[in-house]
Amino acid sequence: MTKRIFKYTELIIFVTLISGFAAILFIFYAYFGTVQDKQLKTETAITAQAVEEGGLDYLRGLKLEDTRVTLIAGDGTVLYDNEEDASKMANHADRPEVKEALEKGEGKSTRYSDTKTTAMIYSALRLSDGSVLRVSEERNTVLTVALGMVLPMIWVFLILLIISWRISLKMSRQIVEPLNGFDLDHPLDNQDYPELAPFLQRINNQQKEIRQQKESLIRAEKDFVTVTDHMQECLILLSRKGKIISINNQAMKLLHADESCIGSDILYLERRVEFQRGLKKAADGEHTELILEYAGRHYQADISPIFSEDLKAAAGMVVLMFDVTDRENAEQMRREFTSNVSHELKTPLHTISGCAELLKSGGVRPEDSGKFVDLIFSQTQRMITLVDDLLQISHLDAGAADMKWEQLSLMDVVKSAENRLHGAAMTQNVQMTVSGSRPALIWGITRLVESIVFNLMDNALKYNRENGRVDVTVTEEDKAVRLSVKDNGVGIPAEDVPRIFERFYRVDKSHSREIGGTGLGLSIVKNAARILHADVDVKSELGKGTEFIIVFPKTKPTEA
């Protein structure tokens, strides 16, 4: 802006100087012309007076260089001329100044002289004898005057131009300096130029509107960030070209990224071919779902296009990823559960069917029929036990909301289970001992606590050895009661410990079926403990035995 002001100021000064020079030129020309006319008239009068007294002899005695004197008779004949031969000169009766002098006594004119080939001014005066004395001088043209003034005017012009340049530069800076110093955050506080008040008022109004919009955008952004950062799902917003616009905390944790990734291509974080294909489909306006694995867990990635109102193609994409590991595991467990149930029911059903067919056909001797009946009965009992366990697990999966919570003695439940298993312990020659605090009161569901205790103690007997031991200990703590069921039986391999609570999982499948196990006991224990808000821990060493530890809360859980 300073340069523009300076440029226009210099232009104005330049035009002013040129205009002033032209005006002065014409003023001077007019002024000097008037002065010259007066001087010439005076010279004519003086010369005429001298001629009246001295005649032609006076004229012949004059030595003039820049002034021409001509004496003309009344009939126009040239009697004398100080520059030309009078006898050779044409009659001057038709000259305007001569005619005017003859008529009025004096005359004047300005014209181009053929003899002098220049512009001349003429002053004529009629003498007493009727002749006319004419005095003339050259008159400078405007161009001549201009040429005569050009050199001093150039110097004056240069001096004025330098002065104006300094003044213009200073003035332009003084004009712009307040503008550069405007406080645009508070435009109405600027009072340097009242003429700018309407403009500053508009700026102030626009700033208010911008501040309001900015505050609204900041609030919306904060709300968006707050919501997305507290999402359990991973959310990523992408441009149509795959540049990251926004990414929440969960997505950054999953993809091992930070906020510096914003603006980068998503392929820097996830380069799998199936993901790239999903992005391409989304960019073309098609929704895509795919399953990706991260650190052993499964995530479903929904890649959807984002359309704007005026564009048919996708303006961007949104990637939503959420953990579906539990769902995938549940689906896998369902398939395995169906397969296991079918397998577990198939064996006893085949046994029962085979025995019944032999009995029906009479292919069994009467004295052996009892064995077949016993086999049918045992397999039937096994199926009943399996169905009962399945129903119990199904009930636990549903949350057991219909069961009643109450305060009960854990030691009484352990003693009851000991009595029920006393015969089996004697048969298997396993010594079972119960010790600990009494009554060891806890809050729970009696049926589930009994199921936990009985299954653990029953397993400790089944998977024990000849002359083995089962030690059941109840320990009362400040806010909980600890149950420990420890045996010195076969133990569990370390690689199998994480899976023993899975349904139908058996460490030794053949031995488990021989002792009548369904493979659901520990699954029932795990699910029942979950409902009771109890903690389960397992310590086992192959060939040395196993210890199950269950910690029951003394008070009723708030979620119960």
Side-chain angles (χ1 to χ4, degrees):
M1 187 173 180
T2 304
K3 292 182 179 180
R4 182 174 294 182
I5 293 174
F6 175 75
K7 181 176 68 175
Y8 284 119
T9 304
E10 283 295 296
L11 180 61
I12 292 171
I13 292 174
F14 180 78
V15 172
T16 303
L17 288 176
I18 296 298
S19 303
F21 177 74
I24 291 172
L25 177 63
F26 283 102
I27 291 172
F28 279 5
Y29 180 76
Y31 172 74
F32 288 131
T34 303
V35 171
Q36 190 178 21
D37 288 343
K38 289 181 179 180
Q39 288 178 348
L40 185 60
K41 185 177 181 180
T42 302
E43 289 178 4
T44 303
I46 294 172
T47 304
Q49 183 67 34
V51 171
E52 287 281 2
E53 295 177 358
L56 284 175
D57 292 335
Y58 171 78
L59 292 177
R60 291 188 184 101
L62 288 176
K63 301 297 183 181
L64 301 174
E65 293 182 0
D66 297 328
T67 304
R68 184 177 182 182
V69 179
T70 306
L71 182 62
I72 305 166
D75 60 357
T77 302
V78 178
L79 300 175
Y80 173 79
D81 189 273
N82 65 333
E83 292 184 1
E84 297 290 338
D85 186 358
S87 62
K88 295 180 180 180
M89 295 179 66
N91 189 286
H92 279 41
D94 59 344
R95 301 295 195 267
E97 68 279 2
V98 175
K99 291 174 63 177
E100 186 177 1
L102 291 172
E103 293 175 1
K104 298 180 180 180
E106 62 179 342
K108 65 177 182 177
S109 68
T110 302
R111 68 180 180 276
Y112 184 80
S113 173
D114 294 332
T115 306
K116 299 288 290 182
T117 64
T118 185
M120 302 293 290
I121 57 173
Y122 298 93
S123 176
L125 189 64
R126 187 179 62 195
L127 301 179
S128 59
D129 61 357
S131 61
V132 176
L133 178 69
R134 185 185 71 178
V135 180
S136 63
E137 293 180 353
E138 292 184 9
R139 168 156 286 183
N140 293 328
T141 62
V142 176
L143 180 59
T144 305
V145 176
L147 291 174
M149 295 176 61
V150 66
L151 185 60
M153 288 302 295
I154 287 175
W155 282 106
V156 172
F157 182 80
L158 289 175
I159 293 171
L160 291 176
L161 195 62
I162 292 172
I163 295 173
S164 66
W165 175 77
R166 295 295 301 271
I167 295 174
S168 299
L169 186 60
K170 185 176 181 180
M171 288 181 59
S172 60
R173 288 176 177 173
Q174 289 177 344
I175 292 172
V176 173
E177 186 176 355
L179 296 176
N180 291 333
F182 270 5
D183 183 5
L184 294 180
D185 292 331
H186 306 87
L188 297 183
D189 294 343
N190 301 291
Q191 303 294 333
D192 296 284
Y193 294 104
E195 297 83 1
L196 296 178
F199 174 67
L200 295 175
Q201 183 63 50
R202 289 186 61 185
I203 291 179
N204 186 62
N205 295 337
Q206 288 180 348
Q207 284 189 342
K208 285 183 179 179
E209 185 177 351
I210 291 172
R211 282 195 294 269
Q212 292 174 353
Q213 292 177 350
K214 183 178 179 181
E215 291 173 359
S216 178
L217 288 174
I218 291 174
R219 286 195 299 270
E221 183 180 4
K222 286 183 178 179
D223 293 342
F224 177 78
V225 171
T226 301
V227 171
T228 56
D229 283 348
H230 287 81
M231 289 173 59
Q232 295 301 315
E233 297 79 12
C234 303
L235 180 67
I236 308 173
L237 297 181
L238 305 173
S239 68
R240 192 176 188 277
K241 294 184 178 180
K243 302 293 183 182
I244 299 174
I245 299 174
S246 177
I247 180 170
N248 70 347
N249 286 336
Q250 290 297 328
M252 286 191 285
K253 290 178 183 177
L254 182 67
L255 300 176
H256 305 290
D258 53 37
E259 293 183 353
S260 63
C261 70
I262 295 176
S264 302
D265 198 298
I266 185 62
L267 296 181
Y268 285 113
L269 303 181
E270 177 54 75
R271 301 185 62 86
R272 276 179 269 195
V273 176
E274 58 268 32
F275 187 78
Q276 296 183 40
R277 290 174 181 167
L279 291 178
K280 187 177 184 304
K281 289 182 179 179
D284 294 336
E286 182 179 347
H287 175 79
T288 304
E289 292 182 4
L290 50 99
I291 302 296
L292 300 173
E293 184 178 343
Y294 296 95
R297 298 192 68 81
H298 299 282
Y299 286 81
Q300 178 176 319
D302 290 349
I303 308 176
S304 304
I306 301 174
F307 295 97
S308 61
E309 295 180 357
D310 55 343
L311 293 177
K312 295 183 179 179
M317 296 170 282
V318 58
V319 180
L320 182 65
M321 294 192 291
F322 45 93
D323 193 338
V324 293
T325 306
D326 294 339
R327 189 186 74 183
E328 293 289 314
N329 291 341
E331 181 64 22
Q332 180 65 24
M333 288 177 62
R334 185 190 65 78
R335 290 192 293 268
E336 292 179 357
F337 180 77
T338 302
S339 176
N340 289 328
V341 168
S342 300
H343 181 74
E344 293 294 332
L345 291 176
K346 183 178 180 181
T347 301
L349 284 174
H350 275 278
T351 302
I352 293 171
S353 177
C355 292
E357 186 177 357
L358 287 173
L359 290 173
K360 182 179 178 181
S361 63
V364 179
R365 292 178 299 179
E367 61 273 17
D368 294 331
S369 60
K371 297 179 180 180
F372 284 91
V373 172
D374 290 340
L375 186 58
I376 291 173
F377 179 75
S378 65
Q379 294 298 320
T380 304
Q381 290 299 117
R382 180 182 173 187
M383 289 179 61
I384 291 173
T385 302
L386 178 62
V387 171
D388 286 343
D389 286 348
L390 289 174
L391 290 174
Q392 188 171 1
I393 285 182
S394 177
H395 196 186
L396 294 176
D397 287 340
D402 58 334
M403 294 185 175
K404 181 181 178 182
W405 285 76
E406 59 186 345
Q407 193 175 41
L408 65 150
S409 170
L410 182 59
M411 182 58 79
D412 289 346
V413 175
V414 171
K415 284 292 185 181
S416 175
E418 180 189 23
N419 292 332
R420 291 170 59 190
L421 295 170
H422 179 72
M426 295 293 292
T427 302
Q428 295 173 221
N429 197 23
V430 174
Q431 182 180 358
M432 180 179 292
T433 61
V434 175
S435 61
S437 306
R438 181 183 288 274
L441 297 177
I442 62 172
W443 269 93
I445 300 172
T446 303
R447 181 178 169 185
L448 298 187
V449 176
E450 290 176 347
S451 179
I452 291 173
V453 173
F454 183 82
N455 274 293
L456 292 179
M457 294 175 67
D458 185 40
N459 280 352
L461 290 175
K462 289 178 179 178
Y463 298 97
N464 216 311
R465 64 182 68 190
E466 187 74 19
N467 298 318
R469 288 180 55 83
V470 175
D471 296 319
V472 184
T473 306
V474 177
T475 306
E476 193 165 0
E477 299 175 351
D478 290 340
K479 296 182 180 181
V481 177
R482 176 190 293 266
L483 169 67
S484 170
V485 179
K486 185 176 182 180
D487 65 68
N488 61 348
V490 296
I492 305 170
E495 63 272 15
D496 288 322
V497 171
R499 300 193 61 190
I500 60 175
F501 294 104
E502 295 179 11
R503 299 172 188 183
F504 295 109
Y505 185 82
R506 297 183 178 90
V507 176
D508 185 350
K509 294 179 174 57
S510 59
H511 178 66
S512 180
R513 288 195 177 91
E514 288 176 3
I515 61 178
T518 63
L520 296 174
L522 289 181
S523 181
I524 292 173
V525 170
K526 185 71 173 181
N527 281 274
R530 173 180 57 81
I531 293 174
L532 295 173
H533 298 274
D535 295 328
V536 181
D537 191 20
V538 183
K539 299 177 182 178
S540 184
E541 189 174 352
L542 188 64
K544 293 186 178 181
T546 304
E547 181 182 13
F548 284 88
I549 300 172
I550 313 294
V551 180
F552 295 94
K554 280 186 176 182
T555 57
K556 186 177 181 180
T558 55
E559 299 178 7

